[in-house]
Structure formats: C-alpha cells, structure tokens
Amino acid sequence: MKRFVVCLTCILSLVVISCDKSKLDIINENTISTGNFWKTEADAEGGVVAVYNMFYRQGTWTRNIYTQMQGMADDGVSMAGWTELNEYTKFLYTNYDFGEVNVKIWREHYVAIFRANQVLDNIENIPFQDEQHKQDLIGQVKFLRSFYYFYLTSLWDNIPFVLKSSSASDTPEQKSPEEVFAQLEVDLKDAISKLPATRPASEHGRPTKGAAYGLLAKVYMQEHKWQDAVTCLEWLVDGEGKNYYDLITDYGSNFRNTTENNKESLYEIQFSLINNVGFDQTDNHLDPNAQLGSQIEMNQAPPGLGWNNVEARRWLVDYYKREKTVDNKNDIRLFYSVWYNNAGKDFPDRADTLVYGNTWRADWGNRVFIKKYSTPANPLFYWNDNNFRSLRYSDMLLLYAEALNELSGPTPKAVECMNRVRQRVNLPQIQNSVYYNGAQIVANKDAFRNQLKIERGLELSLECVRWIDLKRWGLDQQSAIDEIKERDTDFNNFIIGKSLRMPIPQSEVDNNPNLDQNPNY
C-alpha cells in the first residue's frame, strides 16, 4: 500500500509539473530581450535613442525618401538609370514589392514605430528619479511616432495603425488618413504638454514644444481644419513661440552644415560624420560605429559626380526669375536652391557658381540639379553631415497665411505673413508687386490662395514639402492635374483616384488579411 501511495504521488507530481507551463518560461539572463530590458531610467533613455536611430536608414532620412517625395511632386523629377527607381516617381508602379523604395520606406518606418511603441508600453513601469525627465521622454516618443506616421500617410494614405508593441504574427487593422490623423492630434497635444519650449545645444535633435506645434499644424492643414491649425500657428508666430523662432537673414543658411539648428529651425534631423565608414553602409546598424550621415547630396548630384537619382524641374528657374527684387536683382533663393546653366550670368556678384568645383558640362544641357543641402565637397563623398530641416519657420508663416485666408480671406495678418517671407529675400511686398497683380491678390481669397501656391513652391522647393502641399490642395479634379501637367509631364501618368497614393507592398497585403491594397491597384 505504501509503495502504491509513493508511486501515485510521483505520478501526480509529474502531472502537476507538466501542466505548469510557467516552469518552462526561463529567462536567459545572458541575452537582452523585451522581457528583461526595461528596468532602469537608462534603459528607457536607450530605448528612446533607438527610435531616433531609425532616421539613419535608406528607407527613412538617409536617402530614398528624398527621391520619392521630390520625384512625385511637381518640383522634382527622376532621370535615374535604375528603371524602377525612375518610374516609381512617375506614378508607374509595376513591382509593388520594389525593395529600394516601396519595401524599404514602408518597413523602416514601421520598425521606428515598433521601437516607439515599446518605449511607451514600458516606460510607465520604470522608476525615475526625475519625473519631468520621464514625461519629456514620453513627449519625444509621441512626437517621433507621429512624425513617422505623418509621412507614411502622406505616401500611402491607408495604412496599418499600430499603437502597442507588436509581434510578427500580428495582423493590424488598416486605418484611413482621417483615423490616423485623429490619433496624431491626441498624441501631439500630449507631446506639447510634456516637451520643453527650448533645449540646450547638447540636446539638439530632440523635439521641443514648438516642433510639436509645427507638426500638429501640418496635420490639421492636411485635414482642412483651418481654425485648429491657426491655434497652433498663433503660438509659433504671435504667441510664446515668437521668442524662440524667426526668419534668419540669409536664406542659404537654412541648408549649410555650418549654420545648423538656427532660429528658423523648429526641427531638424541631425547628421554626423563621426562614424566615417566609407561607401554605402547604410544598413550596418548592428555595428556600434554605424554610419550617421546623410546621402542626400550624393543622391541628387549631377551625373558624373553623383548618383543623380532626382533633380529639379526647369520651371523653378523660370518662376524664380520672373519677379525681380526691389533692387532689380534675381531672387537669391534661385541661387541657393538649384544649379543650372548660366547661373553665373544671373548672379554676377557671386563667385561660387561651380558645381562641386566643376564648370557646367555640355552634356548636362538644360537640366537643373538640386543645390540645397550641398556642401563644398570636391570630389563628392558618399556622405555628408548636413542636417535636414524638417520643419522651418517660413513654412509655418505661409501655412498661417493659408489657414487665415481659408477662414476669412486675405486678412492683414495673412498678408503680413506672406510678406515676411518675401521681404527676407528682398522681394517687394505682394501688394506692391510689379509682376503679379498685388491689388487683386490682397483683396480676393482665390487669388491669394493661388499666390500662396507659388510662394510655397519657391520658398520650400525641393524640401519634401511640395507633395504634401499638392495633396492638401487637391489631386481629385482633372483641371488641377491638367494645370500641373504644364510644369511636370510626369502627371500625364497620373490617374485620379489612384495615383495620389502609392501601392502598398504586395507582400504586406498577402500576409495580413486585415490589409487591403490601395484603390485601383
């Protein structure tokens, strides 16, 4: 009997042990995982830095997004020898899983969002000595996640929307731009409440309250929520923000690597050559000395000097030149924005019209190349350390003018904002313009709106802004498309109801039953 009891006890023990699955969940203390990482304040800070680290990827802000956003807009064009890269900017999508653009931009934005969600899911359980630091980190991550979602929506419209840590087996639901923007409004308002108004130089690259106001204003503008946008822009232009932001005297200083983080910059992505790894190692992120530079310069340089994946449209030169400054000179923004033949004649007082030390080549003909974010490098290197100014104060001034006009026509404040941008480059006040009908522009809502489209095109050319503007102004009417075609022949390929958004990578659609391909693809 005793023997039977002993045997039964052993059997029951084995049954109990075999049913307790938690006994199998053994944490490997020698490996970092999501289960054992989030413990200290330093861990939280490291997690936030990992979100910033996603800026340095080919599909985010190292290279490819410039080609796509500028190529689709009417101020840029791709003449790349790589056929798919070229055609993707021309609304010609054959391979929906084109790795260099569609897959990389999509994937690397979602990796950034995955990292942001991990921080937000775990930071509340971490003890902080300084509660203000904790709230600041939360504000930073909500800004960054909103930043990535803003550009995903600008490219694809209807996207999977993930706000919690996810796994590879998840099938997140697809959300419309309106649904995404509604959450971005919530997150950015929270970020505004948590972020400081200013930061020391040691924290450049981390968003401030002004950066969050600026991004929130852009979200509202895309939704045509004019009054909400005005509220954000009032803070920047007429409220507390006027103590921190203003136009700088020299327009060109917005694009030099020697004049970064100036008072015109609400937010800029910090690039550095501290880890100079040589050629095209943008995907070496597992290396502790991974590249932190930008390839924007090599990407847009003329053929024979760089990759020439994207360049400028000729109409920009013509538009810049058609209105003279008050002292009868050419608009200096032309000089700082593009390289083109005969630039030396248009700016005889400038000695620096060489293209990376080269005179204009005959085989370049009448083409126009992007000069913004160039450096004095000669010969051109694969990388540069020129920060990308994602949110500029002049953008905010013109958005303020646009929102005010949509609400009440060209009010004195709207006209003032437009004139501040014009007068910085020595153009006459719009009401005194010789080329444009200034009297009509400052008296008529439609005329003022049309002029704003020109002003934004010249002030913010080739800065990944124009495509977002075109979508806000409407790409659903054939008359609008026909007007753009006069400047950009790529819009001959534009199909209303289809081309205002890119195709979702087909592999994503195939693997997620909750994800539908975008309309008409």
Side-chain angles (χ1 to χ4, degrees):
M1 181 69 179
K2 182 186 292 185
R3 185 175 179 183
F4 173 76
V5 170
V6 170
C7 291
L8 181 61
T9 302
C10 292
I11 291 170
L12 290 173
S13 298
L14 289 171
V15 170
V16 169
I17 291 172
S18 65
C19 290
D20 187 359
K21 295 182 180 180
S22 66
K23 301 296 185 182
L24 302 176
D25 296 333
I26 301 174
I27 297 176
N28 183 355
E29 299 294 342
N30 297 314
T31 302
I32 296 175
S33 69
T34 56
N36 64 13
F37 175 74
W38 304 98
K39 293 180 179 179
T40 69
E41 192 168 336
D43 293 338
E45 180 68 54
V48 175
V49 170
V51 185
Y52 286 103
N53 182 260
M54 288 308 299
F55 283 144
Y56 310 103
R57 296 290 188 275
Q58 289 181 1
T60 57
W61 293 95
T62 293
R63 183 169 79 201
N64 293 337
I65 199 167
Y66 305 112
T67 303
Q68 191 61 25
M69 292 204 69
Q70 293 174 177
M72 287 194 301
D74 61 344
D75 56 357
V77 58
S78 177
M79 305 295 286
W82 190 344
T83 302
E84 281 183 306
L85 191 67
N86 180 318
E87 290 184 345
Y88 249 70
T89 69
K90 294 175 168 57
F91 313 110
L92 299 172
Y93 306 109
T94 303
N95 176 13
Y96 296 173
D97 282 327
F98 177 40
E100 190 69 8
V101 174
N102 224 28
V103 172
K104 279 186 179 179
I105 296 177
W106 178 280
R107 179 186 68 210
E108 290 168 4
H109 277 69
Y110 275 108
V111 172
I113 290 164
F114 170 77
R115 294 182 178 187
N117 287 338
Q118 282 200 69
V119 175
L120 295 174
D121 284 350
N122 290 282
I123 194 169
E124 293 291 357
N125 299 320
I126 296 175
F128 273 70
Q129 291 185 341
D130 183 354
E131 179 64 20
Q132 186 175 353
H133 181 221
K134 176 181 179 179
Q135 296 304 315
D136 182 15
L137 291 180
I138 293 172
Q140 290 178 48
V141 174
K142 287 195 172 183
F143 171 88
L144 292 170
R145 186 174 68 179
S146 298
F147 187 90
Y148 282 109
Y149 269 130
F150 180 76
Y151 283 98
L152 280 171
T153 307
S154 298
L155 291 170
W156 283 282
D157 273 2
N158 308 298
I159 58 174
F161 197 44
V162 188
L163 296 175
K164 293 291 183 181
S165 297
S166 55
S167 66
S169 61
D170 289 351
T171 56
E173 292 187 2
Q174 190 171 24
K175 299 295 183 182
S176 67
E178 294 77 17
E179 292 172 301
V180 176
F181 285 153
Q183 183 62 45
L184 300 196
E185 292 173 20
V186 173
D187 286 349
L188 288 168
K189 287 176 183 176
D190 192 42
I192 288 168
S193 72
K194 291 176 167 59
L195 295 172
T198 62
R199 292 190 184 274
S202 60
E203 295 185 6
H204 280 161
R206 296 178 186 260
T208 60
K209 197 179 297 291
Y213 266 120
L215 184 55
L216 180 55
K218 290 179 85 74
V219 170
Y220 281 137
M221 291 294 290
Q222 294 308 108
E223 299 179 278
H224 293 187
K225 292 184 176 180
W226 311 120
Q227 186 57 60
D228 290 323
V230 163
T231 300
C232 295
L233 296 162
E234 278 179 336
W235 188 92
L236 290 165
V237 178
D238 296 320
E240 183 183 341
K242 69 181 180 182
N243 298 313
Y244 318 126
Y245 306 108
D246 199 358
L247 297 176
I248 53 177
T249 303
D250 177 18
Y251 178 78
S253 291
N254 288 301
F255 315 107
R256 297 192 194 101
N257 59 355
T258 56
T259 50
E260 298 165 331
N261 301 300
N262 58 54
K263 64 182 178 180
E264 190 166 340
S265 179
L266 278 71
Y267 189 71
E268 56 191 72
I269 298 171
Q270 311 290 302
F271 288 112
S272 169
L273 292 180
I274 190 170
N275 297 331
N276 193 337
V277 299
F279 178 57
D280 191 15
Q281 298 184 40
T282 48
D283 290 330
N284 68 335
H285 51 273
L286 298 179
D287 188 325
N289 296 315
Q291 180 58 249
L292 300 175
S294 165
Q295 292 186 317
I296 186 172
E297 190 172 33
M298 176 62 77
N299 191 59
Q300 66 195 23
L305 301 181
W307 296 328
N308 185 229
N309 286 332
V310 65
E311 58 193 72
R313 285 284 180 185
R314 185 76 197 187
W315 69 262
L316 280 172
V317 177
D318 300 333
Y319 272 54
Y320 279 121
K321 290 173 66 173
R322 65 187 189 178
E323 184 180 22
K324 302 298 182 183
T325 62
V326 293
D327 52 355
N328 201 36
K329 293 183 178 180
N330 285 310
D331 188 339
I332 194 64
R333 294 176 298 187
L334 169 59
F335 176 81
Y336 286 121
S337 298
V338 294
W339 278 300
Y340 61 101
N341 54 342
N342 297 321
K345 294 180 180 179
D346 289 335
F347 297 94
D349 54 338
R350 303 295 305 225
D352 49 343
T353 57
L354 297 178
V355 184
Y356 296 110
N358 293 265
T359 56
W360 193 261
R361 297 184 180 180
D363 60 316
W364 293 344
N366 208 34
R367 294 166 71 177
V368 183
F369 304 111
I370 303 172
K371 188 175 185 179
K372 283 181 176 177
Y373 294 106
S374 63
T375 66
N378 182 24
L380 189 60
F381 185 51
Y382 288 102
W383 305 94
N384 78 20
D385 57 355
N386 204 343
N387 292 353
F388 187 77
R389 282 70 158 179
S390 301
L391 296 169
R392 285 209 290 123
Y393 187 67
S394 63
D395 187 2
M396 300 299 115
L397 285 171
L398 293 174
L399 288 177
Y400 196 14
E402 183 177 341
L404 289 170
N405 182 64
E406 293 301 330
L407 287 171
S408 305
T411 63
K413 173 58 71 172
V415 175
E416 175 195 323
C417 290
M418 179 186 287
N419 280 334
R420 285 181 65 180
V421 174
R422 288 172 57 84
Q423 289 182 289
R424 188 254 295 271
V425 292
N426 213 24
L427 289 173
Q429 293 186 352
I430 189 60
Q431 59 267 37
N432 299 325
S433 175
V434 175
Y435 182 84
Y436 298 107
N437 186 343
Q440 182 185 36
I441 288 169
V442 300
N444 181 276
K445 183 176 183 177
D446 292 337
F448 193 82
R449 182 191 298 118
N450 290 333
Q451 186 62 32
L452 268 168
K453 294 177 181 181
I454 295 172
E455 300 294 339
R456 287 186 63 79
L458 300 182
E459 172 66 23
L460 302 163
S461 66
L462 307 162
E463 296 181 43
C464 295
V465 172
R466 188 69 171 176
W467 175 249
I468 296 168
D469 284 350
L470 292 177
K471 290 190 72 170
R472 180 175 70 258
W473 297 330
L475 293 172
D476 56 352
Q477 298 293 325
Q478 191 60 49
S479 58
I481 304 305
D482 290 342
E483 191 268 334
I484 297 173
K485 286 179 184 178
E486 296 178 6
R487 301 186 298 273
D488 184 347
T489 55
D490 288 350
F491 273 77
N492 287 314
N493 304 319
F494 191 95
I495 299 173
I496 292 176
K498 175 182 179 180
S499 304
L500 79 163
R501 57 185 73 90
M502 291 167 60
I504 295 170
Q506 191 59 42
S507 56
E508 298 290 334
V509 176
D510 293 342
N511 291 325
N512 183 356
N514 294 319
L515 185 60
D516 294 326
Q517 184 55 267
N518 270 329
N520 300 312
Y521 283 102

